[in-house]
Amino acid sequence: MSVVRFLVAHRAEFAHLFLQHVMLVGASTLAAVVLGVPLGVLAARRPRLGAPIVWMANIVQTIPSLAMFGFLLPLPFIGGLGARVAIVVLILYALLPVVRTTLSGIRGVDPALVEAGTALGMTPRQLLWRVQLPLATSSIVAGVRVAAVIGVGTATIAAAVGAGGLGEYIFRGLSMVDPTVILAGAIPAAALALSVDGGLLLVERALGGRRRIGRRAAAALALVVLVALGAAAAVAARPAAERRIRVGSKNFTEQIVLGEVLAQQLEAAGFAVDRRLNLGGTFICDRAVRAGDIDVYVEYTGTADAAVFKQQTDTDPARVLERVRRLYAGAGLTVLPPLGFGNTFAILVRGEDARRQQLRTIGDAARMAPRWHAGFGYEFLQRADGYPGLSRAYGLAFAAPPRAMDLSLIYRALASGQIDLTAGDATSGLIAGYDLVMLDDDRRYFPPYDAVPVARAATLLAYPGARAALEALAGRISVDDVRRMNQAVDTGHEEPAEVARALLARLRRKGVA
């Protein structure tokens, strides 16, 4: 029931995401049919050409979908964030079933019928259009059915690259560790897949002559489905009537809330805003703002210095801020004044362990490490200011190599005893919620991580009011504010948009935003 209540409360947003999902699947399936049927015909009539085509489609199908999005992101014309790259990926996955079923459908036509057509003087083209394709139609529809169902499932991952759809709820729910939000995306996606499968199965059976529905009726139903999907695609893909400022964020609670804060601050100043929140890690957001897929997002100075620009670890906040300002400026990006809080990495252990073992510092934990298991987010395991440097600085050696896991799951994994130590965010509301303890960085290993909006200079020049609106937040958001907001979302299950709105209202009452 909580899922139903959530969907009712968010019906406008749900309708928008559902339409986006239908658009992604409809546009990609239509394109796959347009490309896949001719390729299948070619493969059937020219086996030497057909073998490499089917082989390539098979290879594409073996690549994990998330990896495919990663491969295509940096490519010109088809890459970048948004619906474009998502549709390209969905087309690639839909091609194999369409090509294969077209190929098998044409090859399955009774050779006696082909010989009869040839004896009547039909040309190869006439044989194709009057004999082979009509008889292969039910097989082709079966391939379209499989392609569409695969598309509905794969499209949920498209939310990771800012393409929207029902995957938005799934990724948001993972970030908030909220099963209700996850199910709000998963259940409608499953229902959509079953509906598409059932509808196309009726068409397939009708064309195969196993039901009373005539072929004309089936063809009309298929046409209605295709027109509906095309209309949805056209509506959802129509260009925006006005230029919008695109606000992005990484894929954890604090970033989503901060993205909402920036978006609502800009809207209050009279700007139209596109939200591209929950995009992924540091490098996806960095690539997005450089490529112009987003106009602004919140970054942390130490993260930019060490992970993006590969500088040596520096613990001086002013020096780090000045350096990242200069380096970003070279890429046409502007670092606006800090928001007022820093979010350093927090090395966490269970509160029970900390009290029993009297653990206060990371140095204390290093003595226990040979008997412990650790787990970290993917990014922390790779970054120079992450686990590699931390293990050298403290001589950390665990009982087994640290496990890589999604950032949204590390707090729960630690609290449930699956791991004994992890690296979270110092501002996370889950630290108190799960009775975790943040150990002191007694060797001052971590650099400063002051939160700063990073914006495209061209956007700020085009919209001076946007710069003024964002700068009004400078120094106004405290660590306590962020902890409260994170806790409200993570453990109070409040909406990030509502939490951000409450913060801005509080700041405005104080006359500071």
Side-chain angles (χ1 to χ4, degrees):
M1 291 303 293
S2 59
V3 176
V4 174
R5 283 197 296 271
F6 178 89
L7 291 176
V8 170
H10 298 78
R11 52 189 177 278
E13 181 188 48
F14 170 74
H16 177 67
L17 294 177
F18 187 83
L19 183 61
Q20 281 184 325
H21 207 94
V22 172
M23 183 277 292
L24 291 173
V25 177
S28 59
T29 305
L30 282 175
V33 171
V34 170
L35 292 172
V37 171
L39 287 173
V41 171
L42 180 64
R45 306 186 84 174
R46 298 283 188 273
R48 288 188 177 179
L49 290 176
I53 292 171
V54 175
W55 181 77
M56 286 296 296
N58 270 320
I59 292 292
V60 168
Q61 203 76 19
T62 63
I63 300 174
S65 51
L66 197 55
M68 181 70 82
F69 281 112
F71 292 147
L72 296 184
L73 271 179
L75 297 183
F77 305 117
I78 62 173
L81 297 176
R84 183 179 53 202
V85 69
I87 290 173
V88 171
V89 171
L90 295 176
I91 291 172
L92 292 175
Y93 281 110
L95 274 178
L96 180 63
V98 176
V99 171
R100 268 193 178 282
T101 53
T102 303
L103 172 63
S104 61
I106 289 179
R107 284 184 177 173
V109 174
D110 190 342
L113 294 175
V114 177
E115 287 177 10
T118 305
L120 289 172
M122 287 185 176
T123 64
R125 175 173 295 188
Q126 288 173 326
L127 275 174
L128 175 66
W129 286 102
R130 297 183 182 181
V131 178
Q132 291 171 311
L133 276 181
L135 292 174
T137 303
S138 63
S139 175
I140 295 171
V141 172
V144 175
R145 174 182 154 216
V146 173
V149 172
I150 291 174
V152 172
T154 308
T156 57
I157 302 174
V161 294
L166 295 169
E168 284 267 357
Y169 283 148
I170 296 175
F171 281 98
R172 190 187 303 174
L174 285 172
S175 298
M176 298 160 59
V177 198
D178 188 336
T180 299
V181 183
I182 295 173
L183 290 174
I187 292 175
L192 179 61
L194 290 173
S195 301
V196 169
D197 185 55
L200 289 174
L201 179 61
L202 285 178
V203 174
E204 179 191 339
R205 287 181 174 176
L207 290 170
R210 290 194 290 270
R211 289 289 176 92
R212 291 183 179 178
I213 302 173
R215 295 191 177 200
R216 289 185 180 178
L221 178 58
L223 182 62
V224 168
V225 171
L226 293 176
V227 169
L229 292 175
V235 170
R238 70 183 188 277
E242 55 184 338
R243 172 73 166 87
R244 291 170 173 266
I245 297 178
R246 293 155 299 184
V247 177
S249 84
K250 302 183 194 181
N251 59 345
F252 55 94
T253 300
E254 177 178 310
Q255 277 278 317
I256 296 169
V257 174
L258 290 174
E260 273 292 344
V261 169
L262 298 192
Q264 292 181 24
Q265 178 74 353
L266 289 167
E267 286 171 338
F271 295 97
V273 173
D274 268 347
R275 289 166 173 77
R276 296 190 173 186
L277 310 182
N278 210 6
L279 287 176
T282 296
F283 301 106
I284 288 182
C285 286
D286 181 66
R287 187 182 295 277
V289 74
R290 289 172 189 264
D293 292 321
I294 59 175
D295 294 303
V296 60
Y297 81 106
V298 174
E299 188 50 275
Y300 306 96
T301 53
T303 301
D305 196 43
V308 176
F309 298 115
K310 314 295 182 192
Q311 301 295 305
Q312 292 293 321
T313 302
D314 190 340
T315 57
D316 184 282
R319 198 162 50 221
V320 171
L321 176 60
E322 184 54 35
R323 184 162 54 239
V324 297
R325 245 188 198 134
R326 176 169 44 81
L327 292 171
Y328 271 127
L333 301 174
T334 299
V335 175
L336 296 174
L339 295 174
F341 73 95
N343 181 5
T344 187
F345 283 113
I347 301 302
L348 302 171
V349 297
R350 284 181 291 278
E352 178 186 352
D353 291 343
R355 290 185 287 273
R356 188 176 65 250
Q357 306 288 346
Q358 297 187 334
L359 304 176
R360 295 185 179 81
T361 67
I362 302 175
D364 294 338
R367 294 194 297 273
M368 307 297 295
R371 286 178 283 165
W372 280 0
H373 291 82
F376 301 111
Y378 306 108
E379 200 171 305
F380 186 81
L381 280 172
Q382 301 296 325
R383 286 171 46 165
D385 60 334
Y387 180 70
L390 180 73
S391 61
R392 285 193 299 272
Y394 283 93
L396 290 172
F398 294 100
R403 293 169 58 185
M405 54 182 62
D406 191 89
L407 199 59
S408 61
L409 303 177
I410 57 174
Y411 302 96
R412 179 174 289 185
L414 179 59
S416 63
Q418 297 176 52
I419 55 176
D420 302 298
L421 181 144
T422 192
D425 297 314
T427 54
S428 173
L430 294 176
I431 295 176
Y434 283 127
D435 185 28
L436 308 178
V437 168
M438 175 179 168
L439 300 176
D440 183 49
D441 180 15
D442 47 325
R443 298 183 186 176
R444 301 292 177 263
Y445 164 73
F446 290 115
Y449 294 95
D450 294 323
V452 292
V454 176
R456 292 177 59 78
T459 302
L460 297 180
L461 285 172
Y463 305 101
R467 179 177 193 135
L470 295 174
E471 286 186 340
L473 296 172
R476 308 304 186 192
I477 303 177
S478 68
V479 171
D480 288 339
D481 287 332
V482 178
R483 282 180 180 151
R484 276 196 296 270
M485 291 193 293
N486 288 338
Q487 192 163 14
V489 175
D490 286 334
T491 60
H493 301 296
E494 296 182 33
E495 283 297 308
E498 294 304 318
V499 171
R501 190 169 292 115
L503 171 77
L504 289 172
R506 193 163 60 246
L507 294 178
R508 284 170 191 141
R509 282 196 297 272
K510 295 178 181 176
V512 294

